[in-house]
Amino acid sequence: MDGSITRESLESLDETNRCYSYAILEAKGFKKDTRFIGRFQVLPLRDNSCEIVWQASFTVPEGLSDEKITQMKQRLQQMYGFFLQNLDSVLASL
């Protein structure tokens, strides 16, 4: 959204279970020792619908206050929400 670039790598792909995991290698605000793994899965439901499960596991830099950790979590939730709303818009237009 701000023009910054994020580098990711595909860590695993499971087509049968419709899921993949990825690592963020570089991103704005990430330090070299930061580890971030995301997992994205599409679960089919009835009536031509699905549920998306998107999880993240990441290291928190030492000395970070509880307030900053809460802010990081909120930003992640906002980012996921933004991407999922965009995905919903794209799929609705098909």
Side-chain angles (χ1 to χ4, degrees), residues 60-70:
V60 176
E62 284 187 43
L64 207 59
S65 69
D66 289 343
E67 181 181 340
K68 288 285 187 186
I69 293 170
T70 299

Side-chain angles (χ1 to χ4, degrees), residues 12-56:
S12 68
L13 176 63
D14 182 344
E15 292 181 24
T16 303
N17 290 308
R18 298 182 174 117
C19 69
Y20 68 90
S21 64
Y22 63 96
I24 295 180
L25 305 175
E26 286 180 38
K28 181 179 179 180
F30 269 48
K31 297 186 187 289
K32 293 283 184 197
D33 59 345
T34 301
R35 179 91 172 122
F36 182 103
I37 298 290
R39 184 174 186 275
F40 189 91
Q41 183 172 19
V42 178
L43 302 171
L45 302 174
R46 289 171 278 174
D47 303 326
N48 255 355
S49 62
C50 66
E51 177 181 358
I52 294 176
V53 178
W54 200 349
Q55 301 169 302

